[in-house]
Amino acid sequence: MCYVEINHNMNHKNIAIFILFLSFFNSFAQTYKPLDTADYSLRKDFLKTAKDKNNILIKGLKNKYQGKVGNKLEKYYNEFFTEFEKDVKNKDYTFKSEFDKNVDDIITELKKNNSQIPQNLKVLIAKDNMPNAFCLPDGTFIINMGLFNWLDNKDQVASVICHEIAHNILEHSLKLLVEQIEENATDKTTVENLKSVTVNKSGTAFDIFKNRIYKKGVEKRQQEVKADSLGFVLFKNSGFKKIEFLNALNNLKNFDSISPREIKIETYKSLFDIPNHPFKEKWMKTEDFSLYNYDFYKEKLDKDSLASHPEISRRIQTLQKKFTELNVSEDALKPDENFQNLQKIARMEILPNLFHSEDYGLGIYVSMQFLQDKEDEEYYKMWLGRLFDKIYDARKNYNLNRYLDRVEPKNQSKSYQQFLNFMWNLSIDDIKNIADFYSKKGTS
Ligand SMILES: [Zn+2]
């Protein structure tokens, strides 16, 4: 179960463009080294424990649910683990990062005054820029790194964790799953037939899970309300600042209403006018923009936002009705130094995360946004080099389509379409020159 429900059309490709632009993160890059996820032994140990945990869980479920339901659950939890194992092996999660340490501290604090929190709780930090958190069916919690770009302080992270713990305590995902199995028992549409989901390369095991049980809108909404209520009780038992529970939700409500940033033509000219390979005006030629209609795009954005906005507003109202102490509005606490450090890391990891999920085209677009703002220029120029190297390989191997979107006038902002036109206009020689220049392989 997740923290906020984000419309499926609003995939992380769109989301990554909605980066908050702040001006106070300066001179961090000189010393910044992207997180190392190569810790093989930690991952191996984790998977071993997770597999045992999953097997114990299955055994318990088979005792509780006999016959067909038990068998289906076993099949489902085994499939889930296979997917999850793939994600872990693919290094989709960090182990032993600053994030892990801080999250572990929060959980220790929460456990002190809440005996109902499971003892063997495990939280993983995902290399994902989307601000969200999940509770996997086996009780493992996933916190996306992107969340740290949208929350203000440690208390807000604690509030998100509390919401997820509540889902777990209330066995929400299991309940939905059992109901679905029982309802489908009469026809052939059983759980395994619900696989009609297209999971992208960077999709997590949770995507599959989510798609399988998300048919139940009303019930899911009720579960969210229950997770908020119990979550808030856990939260306030632990002495975190109460209002931050609402502030966190409010932050997430804002996140998809920020309009995509525009990349100016001058930015292209300044970044791609390189020695011995001058900028060419023809690179900026666009396919016919007459198909482009801002109202249409706006409508799409609104529709994508609809799924989460009223939903979050409703959740806030429900919380305020139930807990009168939440009927105040107060600014978020200033982050302590520790949390500021996590915010910086999350920001610096935006590009490594896009690189990890092989979103090379989008990575270039995002790097250009940072460079347009003159933020940590050396760092983002380094990423331009690495990304253009990948684009060059893809172009050489005729599979650029995998890493660079096609222009879709109805689904993309004008600025993103301009970017895509630019990228597709580049010749293989142009790409090579840019790649070499930014990865400092050229003579210049
Ligand atoms: Zn939830």
Side-chain angles (χ1 to χ4, degrees):
M1 308 270 60
C2 62
Y3 181 60
V4 283
E5 178 48 22
I6 289 159
N7 191 302
H8 284 207
N9 300 326
M10 186 95 189
N11 59 31
H12 58 271
K13 279 197 187 283
N14 288 320
I15 275 151
I17 302 174
F18 292 90
I19 294 161
L20 267 179
F21 278 80
L22 309 161
S23 52
F24 50 85
F25 291 127
N26 278 326
S27 56
F28 191 64
Q30 280 83 348
T31 52
Y32 190 74
K33 294 226 170 8
L35 294 178
D36 183 11
T37 50
D39 211 323
Y40 174 76
S41 65
L42 279 174
R43 266 182 290 137
K44 205 178 136 198
D45 291 349
F46 169 79
L47 279 176
K48 168 92 182 60
T49 314
K51 175 131 193 130
D52 293 345
K53 198 167 140 195
N54 198 49
N55 285 337
I56 293 169
L57 190 71
I58 291 173
K59 225 173 137 188
L61 289 173
K62 294 268 284 182
N63 275 330
K64 194 169 166 194
Y65 301 94
Q66 266 121 41
K68 198 165 184 174
V69 176
N71 290 338
K72 293 283 177 207
L73 285 172
E74 177 177 22
K75 191 170 172 351
Y76 168 76
Y77 276 86
N78 278 325
E79 274 177 31
F80 154 76
F81 189 79
T82 309
E83 288 303 318
F84 184 45
E85 193 174 27
K86 261 190 247 165
D87 295 343
V88 173
K89 286 184 175 163
N90 189 39
K91 302 182 188 173
D92 290 354
Y93 307 101
T94 71
F95 289 87
K96 235 183 160 176
S97 69
E98 287 292 305
F99 295 109
D100 295 286
K101 204 186 139 300
N102 277 272
V103 164
D104 285 348
D105 288 349
I106 291 174
I107 288 171
T108 308
E109 227 167 305
L110 288 171
K111 275 186 191 162
K112 268 188 227 158
N113 296 320
N114 291 298
S115 57
Q116 65 273 58
I117 295 179
Q119 276 311 308
N120 60 345
L121 198 100
K122 181 70 197 161
V123 181
L124 292 180
I125 309 291
K127 287 179 64 58
D128 192 322
N129 295 325
M130 193 163 96
N132 215 341
F134 310 94
C135 172
L136 297 181
D138 73 343
T140 304
F141 294 89
I142 307 290
I143 293 182
N144 284 355
M145 224 178 264
L147 204 55
F148 292 82
N149 285 316
W150 291 86
L151 299 182
D152 300 306
N153 51 51
K154 181 184 169 184
D155 296 50
Q156 292 184 8
V157 178
S159 80
V160 174
I161 294 174
C162 284
H163 175 97
E164 294 310 317
I165 293 178
H167 275 311
N168 182 245
I169 292 175
L170 299 168
E171 295 191 316
H172 279 160
S173 53
L174 177 65
K175 278 180 189 154
L176 281 185
L177 196 59
V178 169
E179 261 174 47
Q180 182 147 0
I181 292 168
E182 283 170 345
E183 276 168 27
N184 288 336
T186 44
D187 58 47
K188 290 263 173 213
T189 339
T190 40
V191 177
E192 67 264 26
N193 293 331
L194 290 165
K195 278 183 189 162
S196 57
V197 268
T198 44
V199 180
N200 53 29
K201 272 198 305 294
S202 50
T204 61
F206 187 78
D207 288 331
I208 294 173
F209 169 69
K210 193 162 61 172
N211 279 293
R212 282 186 186 181
I213 61 167
Y214 264 26
K215 319 285 172 198
K216 298 175 154 282
V218 178
E219 190 168 352
K220 247 213 82 254
R221 271 197 287 279
Q222 286 167 354
Q223 288 194 344
E224 290 314 318
V225 166
K226 285 179 189 158
D228 280 339
S229 299
L230 177 57
F232 182 64
V233 172
L234 301 172
F235 184 74
K236 70 175 177 178
N237 283 349
S238 298
F240 288 103
K241 197 178 174 199
K242 291 172 199 165
I243 197 66
E244 299 298 348
F245 201 87
L246 285 195
N247 287 345
L249 278 169
N250 268 314
N251 281 353
L252 274 281
K253 192 174 80 179
N254 292 334
F255 113 95
D256 61 357
S257 62
I258 289 171
S259 62
R261 293 253 320 188
E262 186 201 344
I263 294 189
K264 301 181 187 101
I265 305 295
E266 294 82 69
T267 303
Y268 290 87
K269 287 184 180 166
S270 75
L271 288 173
F272 303 116
D273 188 31
I274 59 179
N276 305 319
H277 202 82
F279 181 84
K280 299 184 184 81
E281 287 297 335
K282 67 174 185 193
W283 291 344
M284 301 311 289
K285 230 173 92 183
T286 56
E287 275 166 41
D288 193 3
F289 264 144
S290 63
L291 272 174
Y292 180 70
N293 175 340
Y294 180 73
D295 292 337
F296 205 89
Y297 176 67
K298 180 87 179 43
E299 198 180 300
K300 181 188 154 53
L301 280 185
D302 289 346
K303 206 171 80 204
D304 287 347
S305 310
L306 270 181
S308 49
H309 279 187
E311 193 57 50
I312 295 181
S313 302
R314 221 176 356 239
R315 278 167 63 186
I316 291 172
Q317 281 163 16
T318 310
L319 274 164
Q320 286 180 320
K321 215 182 277 171
K322 199 159 174 182
F323 303 98
T324 46
E325 66 259 51
L326 289 176
N327 283 308
V328 284
S329 126
E330 254 176 85
D331 284 348
L333 286 168
K334 292 263 177 296
D336 60 15
E337 215 172 293
N338 215 358
F339 192 79
Q340 279 181 33
N341 187 43
L342 296 184
Q343 286 178 311
K344 283 179 187 173
I345 298 175
R347 193 166 177 84
M348 299 307 274
E349 288 295 316
I350 291 173
L351 264 294
N353 290 346
L354 288 171
F355 194 82
H356 174 75
S357 54
E358 300 184 343
D359 290 310
Y360 304 133
L362 186 66
I364 292 173
Y365 186 69
V366 172
S367 297
M368 288 174 70
Q369 294 189 350
F370 282 114
L371 287 165
Q372 178 166 281
D373 280 5
K374 310 228 174 290
E375 180 172 331
D376 289 323
E377 290 183 271
E378 214 172 303
Y379 183 70
Y380 291 107
K381 281 180 177 173
M382 181 272 285
W383 280 108
L384 269 193
R386 293 192 65 177
L387 292 159
F388 267 98
D389 274 341
K390 289 289 184 185
I391 292 289
Y392 175 65
D393 288 343
R395 182 71 188 264
K396 229 171 31 186
N397 299 321
Y398 305 100
N399 59 7
L400 191 51
N401 260 319
R402 269 168 68 180
Y403 310 105
L404 184 66
D405 290 336
R406 285 283 176 188
V407 180
E408 290 169 45
K410 288 179 181 175
N411 294 322
Q412 297 153 339
S413 72
K414 203 164 181 173
S415 170
Y416 190 53
Q417 287 178 59
Q418 171 66 75
F419 166 74
L420 294 175
N421 276 297
F422 163 78
M423 290 298 290
W424 287 106
N425 285 339
L426 296 175
S427 70
I428 191 157
D429 182 55
D430 297 330
I431 295 171
K432 176 97 176 88
N433 272 278
I434 294 170
D436 286 354
F437 176 73
Y438 279 109
S439 32
K440 302 191 169 153
K441 279 183 239 160
T443 47
S444 42

